[in-house]
Amino acid sequence: SAVSGQTETYSVRDFFTSAKFLIYMGHALSTWGDRMWNFAVAVFLVELYGNSLLLTAVYGLVVAGSVLLLGAIIGDWVDRNPRLKVARTSLLVQNSCVILCGILLMLVFQFKEQLVELYNGWILTTCYILVITIANIANLASTATSITIQRDWVVVVAGQDSSKLADMNATVRIIDQLTNILAPMVVGQIMAFGSHFIGCGFISGWNLCSMCLEYMLLWKVYQKTPALAVKAGQKEQQQELKQLSPPGDLENGQSPEESSQPLMSENSVVAKADSHQENSCCYQVMEPLRTFKAGWVSYYNQNIFFAGMSLAFLYMTVLGFDCITTGYAYTQGLNGSVLSLLMGASAVSGICGTVAFTWVRKKCGLIRTGFISGVAQLSCLMLCVASVFAPGSPFDLTVSPFKDIYTHLIGEKILPEADYSLTTVQAGENTTTAAPTEELPHLQYYMSVSLLFAGVIAARVGLWSFDLTVTQLIQENVIESERGVINGVQNSMNYLLDLLHFIMVILAPNPEAFGLLVIISVSFVAMGHIMYFRFAFKSLGRRLFLCCSPEQKVETVDSPSLPTTV
């Protein structure tokens, strides 16, 4: 018994000091700060700009456009540089920007009345621009961190074990959902019972403290996993040198690098010409464009292209706990405390989806898991469609979608006086003519928003299971040397569709048009799952509908040049 107890002690100690546990801890610290910031920034922007979703939509538009343009370049930078350097740089930039943005918001909340009066409000407008710009840089750094840790480091730590990789992906998602429960709840209560000023200070202080701890944990993971120190490009270069080296040279004790010198000297003229071209100013200026093009072409040629596209189409939606949905709920009378509790319920639903992914994958295989998850998500989203026509819904297509834009522009006397169909400007006053609405009972007033969030929360089960499916498909079917750029382009595709939904909100920012956005969102989710069905049917054919255990079948994704390990 003493021997077994000692063995158990060593096994527990090994687990808590393993690279797998340390990467979980680092991810938990990073995600906690991200979730607090993502929740708070939506509330901050709505609070700063009244009850309009316009400023939050502009922020989302800037973030989505930046990742769309720079996603492939960020991924290529991840591929070309050592893993530890990439993790250190992205971690430093991300946390520093959040700290700086939090301090700036504290100043705006503290001195907003004085800033409005300075230079006709241009100082306050400049502060808005700085907040959005700095927050955007933080998001780009967060994208690099996500590609590095979740798409690369996790794969290397898991080794060649597909089941271990699936378990690590699921654990990472569970950490995401747990932080979704706790982080918004904590900062939401601070903002509800304290103030926005205190909330900004808390977030800035958290990022300052966690930055050092995150780097220490990543350094420990790097030390415990020697494979992280060598990238695929270096391995391939060594193999090429060995193939070029004649056997006799190796017998004489000559290294592959030395034996390859004559070959290099024969092609010195070509090498010098290429070097001169690469050193030219025009060539270096065009390098990001070539990287952008090559990354998208490579992504299009991947065997999992339609699976990646299906995931991207799920981002064309307002049915998620982003700044748009949070801002809409804020206009419907839900305060920060209630919103944080709803986000917690959403995270619990996501954890159920993560657990369901591991179970269904073992029973039915990876590709079938994505198909089942898609059906489950679409079924739950029907509640959101019903909420559009339920009592208490502000859905009204007779109201001008540009009402909020007109109100702000006319109120600031940027537009001349004009007679609009729904808005009449008289003597500098805004008078909105609308039919008097019956006051609904308290229960019916919240019926629409209740159905909306019930559908959104329930759909997270299928959503997160589907997200894990596509994530592992990309991890297992993309070669290591292209892992960063492919995931960078995937992020760009996600943000491209995300960009479209922010454009929709900018065109129709008033709550009366939100129901139309819900219907469009469900349509795009359906199209995404149709694309995944095409990918799954092409990969498995009729076997897609025969649910069997992984031991009874082998699922492969056809590709002449990539590994088929799915």
Side-chain angles (χ1 to χ4, degrees), residues 395-407:
F395 182 56
D396 187 2
L397 293 180
T398 62
V399 177
S400 171
F402 302 99
K403 182 188 72 172
D404 284 356
I405 299 177
Y406 291 155
T407 301

Side-chain angles (χ1 to χ4, degrees), residues 18-29:
S18 64
K20 183 169 66 173
F21 178 77
L22 294 176
I23 205 170
Y24 292 157
M25 289 295 297
H27 179 69
L29 288 172

Side-chain angles (χ1 to χ4, degrees), residues 212-273:
C212 301
L213 292 175
E214 290 175 47
Y215 178 73
M216 183 186 69
L217 292 170
L218 291 178
W219 171 247
K220 290 290 184 181
V221 173
Y222 188 80
Q223 286 183 320
K224 290 179 176 293
T225 311
L228 290 172
V230 181
K231 280 201 169 182
Q234 299 173 358
K235 296 177 183 177
E236 294 170 358
Q237 185 179 9
Q238 293 174 0
Q239 289 293 333
E240 290 175 359
L241 289 174
K242 290 180 180 179
Q243 293 175 2
L244 290 173
S245 303
D249 293 337
L250 296 178
E251 293 174 359
N252 295 332
Q254 196 174 10
S255 67
E257 290 83 352
E258 293 172 347
S259 62
S260 65
Q261 291 300 322
L263 178 64
M264 297 299 292
S265 60
E266 291 176 3
N267 299 326
S268 59
V269 177
V270 178
K272 288 181 179 179

